[in-house]
Amino acid sequence: MTTTSRQRRSFSRRASSNPARRSFIALAALALGVAIAAPAVADSTVIRLGYPGVGIDNRPFGYGDNISVAHIGHFIEDEFKNDPDVKIEWTFFRGAGPAVNEAIANGQLDFGAGEGDLPSIVARSKGLKTKIVLAADTRDPIYLAVKPDSGIKSIDDLKGRKVAQFRGTNLQIATDRVLEAHGLTERDIKFINLDTGNTLAALASGDIDGAFGGPEFLDLDRRGIVKVVYSTKSDDPAFGRQASLLVTEDFESRHPDLTARVVKAVVKAAQWSTDESNREAVFQGWTKSGIPVETFRADFAGVKLTDRLSPIIDEFFIARYRAQADRAKAYKLLRNDVDVDSWFEPKYLNQALAELKLEDYWPRYDANGKKVATGTVEQTQAATQ
Amino acid sequence: MTVTAVALRPSVGSTHWRAVALPIVLLLAWEFAAHAGIGDARFLPSIESVAARGWTEIVDGQLLLDIAMSLTRDIAGFIIAALIGVPVGLALGLSRFVERVFGPTFSAYRQIALFAWVPLISLWFGTGEEAKIAFVALAALNPIVFNSAEGARSIPVQYREVARVLTFDRWQLLRYVALPGAFPSIVTGLHLGLIYAWLATVGAEFFLNLGPGLGGRINEGRELFQMDLLLLCVLLLGVIGVLLNKLAGLAETRLLAWQKR
Amino acid sequence: MSVIPEPGYLEAAVDALALSTDRSDRRTCALPARWARRLQAAAVGLAFPAVLLLLWELSARYGWLPAQILPDPRLVVETIQEFVASGELLDDTRISLMRVAQGFLFGGLAGLLLGVAMGLWPRFQAYVDPLFLAVSQVPTLGWMPLLILLVGIDEELKVIIIAWSAFIPVTLNTYRGIRAVPARYREVGQVLTFGPWSTLTKIVLPAALPTIFVGIREGLANSWQTLVAAELFASSEGLGYLMAWGRQLFQLDLVIMAMIAVGAIGLLFNWGLGSIERRLRRWQVAS
């Protein structure tokens, strides 16, 4: 027997007066509405910069490059302070370079600010479309820190030991080169992938025998918790790392003017930070990351600020990236070849140098690291000593 | 992870004092050890220092914000999972065709350990809020779909026969037969989904750590060797988990009772 | 008009088909009905994954999604071949399985012991239960930071946390299973003047076995889940480590390969224990 249409209508009326169903629908609609409305808004342009690293206990401050100087000194914000519809957004990634890559791949960043050579090379090999517009730091040394009682005195003693290394960052490739020079490969060592925070904790508690890293260890070394037994500073400086300011091709094509101004702001920051008379001030600024000032003094001992913080994309810088790409492929960190030459876009840098009259400010080096042009910054002197 | 601690009843009656005996003894031993300096001082903060830390974190710090953020991610992911999971589960349970075509794939997907998705999610979504919420939703999806399908599959034959007698069309079948029949299982699935979601929220913050959240504070406590912060947060983790479980259980009984009417 | 298909009409159709092939001449092979049904189920079940694979292949060929979101399936296949050939995949799998085995054995045994104790002695259970309940509410991962501080990030951490994740369901189910043994079974033991040990081994445990087994199965599933999480965190080898490597170096093909391995092993565990469980149930019902 078929139900009469009247009966069927009464069924449905009773059903829609069901309170649970109605509130369910309301909730669903609300959730949907929120999901749609959230990404909307914003007539203004937001410039999203991603920095690969965090300070001690996740403080959103970096150190060791001219990007962090720009951040701490608000150089970029100052550049745009008269543009109310341009906002600057910084994000500090605990996951360092790899995390910055993920964010760029998902369209969540416009600038990889200070991304290391290896992660940006890896990203490029995967088709991530970026352009290098500025050098963030060069010749950045790496250190090997070990537990004092581990019996490790040099790289050669590392065979078979448990060592922490932040994989995928420019630390990895620098480490691999050092190992290669001493006749070792990654397989000879039990490498554990740990980020900086976890590395420090693991070293302090003795979970690992040693760790490769940056100046974070120098403080622990001073306190006797670890011993720094190796540094590329005393070895071949070509084993150092690089980092750069990258812009996504998408952002660059949509806002070449904003790109140029960001570059100009960082150049200004670099100008200030490579001036030797500002040496102490630069170190003091970096203490915002929670790392004590003595660490930076030790890290930069015997090194001129301009050697590390110059923004110039010269032959040396390009050659370093080429070499790293080669090595990365050899160490099987990459699958395909990477075209490094078409990656650099120095026109914004040159434009900024011309505008700020800084064409002769910084020295330039050739592919082998020999100086081919001196810079006026080299005549600046540190205030003390 | 499968969960079995859903509806365990403690023994009742005159053994009440026995129930609290052991915990009290342990707490006293803890306090004593902490004050007497037994064991590594770093690893054994006294109970009042944990409580004091809790107080300072709420007043001066952003502990409440962290908890709120974690809960928000939890609920958001859970809602998404519920909205997707219940219809999918019902479809799987009701339609032979859907079961045969999509069932095996779903079974295979269920085999992949939850945390195996973390690297994939971080590569697909980055490490922002979407990634964490996606992970939570993924975790809750599992029990919700499974239980909804089970419920739909085990609708008593009499219900179906009634539907056939009244010659319901597909929508009426759904509304008057399938949903009520599968309702208890759906609710169980949602309850389990809530538990899994909380599990995943903690895990997500551990691995996709960016932004405020309880998991981030736990990391902080660990890295800075601040045992009081660490213990405090682990405690909160458990307490919130218990509360969510209780709430879900209450809602479940309420809803089932309402359905009986 | 009603459009509810008769439940089982598909079955009837397949049966008819099978029967007809049975009856017909030797040209068509006479497949037994069960195999015909199984084949058909397999074919239908594989249809959807096949479509997904096809979409994946097309997406890689026409670049619908960037390579870092969805790598070429052929690349994944190559990677699998590479890792199988070099033995790396096998090594990592073996290491992961060893960790699970160790942790699961410890946790499972401990859980059995505690569950039996709680099941047999209500007084003991009264003391222990609330504490147990409380700590079991903290998600296993929540204990990890604490454990890391106490035991470091080495093998002990992984084995302990895996053991813990197995311990809880095994304890719960063992305890429940023993409690659920009907009183008359124990009375039989009394009639036959069994001592406590005989009662335990000949009556209580066998009766509780199916429930205990559910706990064991859950414990193994939990162990596998926890292993992946623990290895993702800090490891120098294992399947989780492979995934972490893939993530750090943006090699999605590695991640996918490791996920397939993880899923396959999970499937094996489930299926293996599931068939044992089914056999146990049949045996229990029969007895």
Side-chain angles (χ1 to χ4, degrees), chain B residues 50-106:
Chain B
V50 174
R53 185 63 192 263
W55 184 247
T56 30
E57 286 296 329
I58 292 179
V59 172
D60 299 326
Q62 28 166 35
L63 190 63
L64 288 178
L65 173 69
D66 292 320
I67 296 178
M69 287 300 297
S70 294
L71 280 173
T72 314
R73 288 181 197 122
D74 184 22
I75 305 288
F78 172 72
I79 291 183
I80 295 177
L83 288 175
I84 299 179
V86 173
V88 168
L90 283 176
L92 274 173
L94 288 174
S95 160
R96 272 276 149 70
F97 172 74
V98 171
E99 164 72 44
R100 278 160 192 247
V101 172
F102 297 103
T105 315
F106 178 65

Side-chain angles (χ1 to χ4, degrees), chain B residues 102-119:
Chain B
F102 297 103
T105 315
F106 178 65
S107 273
Y109 146 76
R110 286 183 69 224
Q111 302 303 336
I112 301 178
L114 180 64
F115 282 94
W117 288 98
V118 168

Side-chain angles (χ1 to χ4, degrees), chain B residues 101-102, chain C residues 45-58:
Chain B
V101 172
F102 297 103
Chain C
L46 288 172
F48 183 56
V51 168
L52 284 179
L53 268 169
L54 185 68
L55 283 173
W56 182 9
E57 170 68 33
L58 288 175

Side-chain angles (χ1 to χ4, degrees), chain A residues 57-350:
Chain A
D57 57 269
N58 296 334
R59 272 174 238 205
F61 288 101
Y63 51 89
D65 51 39
N66 52 33
I67 303 288
S68 49
V69 173
H71 171 245
I72 294 167
H74 300 113
F75 280 84
I76 303 184
E77 286 82 350
D78 282 343
E79 170 71 30
F80 290 99
K81 66 173 178 248
N82 296 321
D83 297 76
D85 52 336
V86 174
K87 294 204 185 31
I88 314 287
E89 198 178 273
W90 287 90
T91 312
F92 284 78
F93 288 88
R94 186 199 165 92
V100 171
N101 277 344
E102 284 169 6
I104 295 182
N106 284 291
Q108 292 161 352
L109 286 180
D110 305 308
F111 283 88
E115 202 182 338
D117 48 28
L118 180 67
S120 49
I121 291 173
V122 164
R124 187 168 174 79
S125 80
K126 291 281 166 177
L128 221 55
K129 295 206 174 346
T130 54
K131 288 271 189 230
I132 298 184
V133 288
L134 192 101
D137 73 64
T138 16
R139 306 183 188 84
D140 195 8
I142 65 172
Y143 299 90
L144 171 63
V146 301
K147 284 293 294 163
D149 50 1
S150 63
I152 301 176
K153 298 212 183 47
S154 70
I155 299 280
D156 308 289
D157 297 330
L158 280 180
K159 204 164 172 154
R161 309 297 290 264
K162 237 188 314 164
V163 178
Q165 181 202 60
F166 201 169
R167 298 208 135 323
T169 62
N170 58 8
L171 197 54
Q172 184 171 10
I173 187 141
T175 309
D176 285 346
R177 295 188 111 211
V178 168
L179 290 177
E180 189 190 5
H182 290 253
L184 296 166
T185 66
E186 275 195 15
R187 287 179 168 268
D188 295 316
I189 305 185
K190 284 182 82 178
F191 273 124
I192 302 187
N193 175 40
L194 285 175
D195 62 31
T196 314
N198 287 321
T199 300
L200 291 174
L203 260 182
S205 65
D207 286 334
I208 48 182
D209 298 319
F212 281 100
E216 312 83 38
F217 301 137
L218 296 176
D219 186 45
L220 292 179
D221 178 69
R222 260 197 3 263
R223 291 196 272 150
I225 302 178
V226 300
K227 252 165 65 101
V228 172
V229 298
Y230 170 85
S231 130
T232 52
K233 277 165 76 175
S234 53
D235 206 333
D236 188 347
F239 290 158
R241 323 176 255 172
Q242 282 70 231
S244 54
L245 175 68
L246 301 117
V247 65
T248 59
E249 280 184 18
D250 177 55
F251 185 83
E252 192 209 349
S253 57
R254 278 187 297 126
H255 305 282
D257 50 329
L258 295 179
T259 311
R261 291 171 68 185
V262 169
V263 171
K264 189 158 103 175
V266 179
V267 169
K268 282 199 203 147
Q271 174 193 16
W272 182 83
S273 68
T274 49
D275 188 334
E276 285 293 329
S277 51
N278 294 327
R279 194 174 175 103
E280 229 356 75
V282 171
F283 296 161
Q284 288 294 346
W286 283 339
T287 56
K288 281 213 163 131
S289 63
I291 296 184
V293 70
E294 295 85 1
T295 297
F296 300 118
R297 289 195 198 126
D299 189 28
F300 277 79
V303 171
K304 286 211 163 137
L305 291 167
T306 181
D307 291 340
R308 302 255 296 262
L309 304 176
S310 158
I312 299 292
I313 301 178
D314 52 12
E315 279 307 312
F316 177 70
F317 195 67
I318 299 179
R320 301 296 300 119
Y321 267 79
R322 252 189 240 124
Q324 299 293 56
D326 267 339
R327 295 287 82 210
K329 180 118 187 290
Y331 301 142
K332 300 240 172 75
L333 304 173
L334 292 184
R335 289 241 145 90
N336 14 339
D337 292 305
V338 174
D339 173 20
V340 166
D341 298 299
S342 60
W343 195 7
F344 292 89
E345 185 49 271
K347 71 174 184 225
Y348 302 102
L349 174 64
N350 294 333

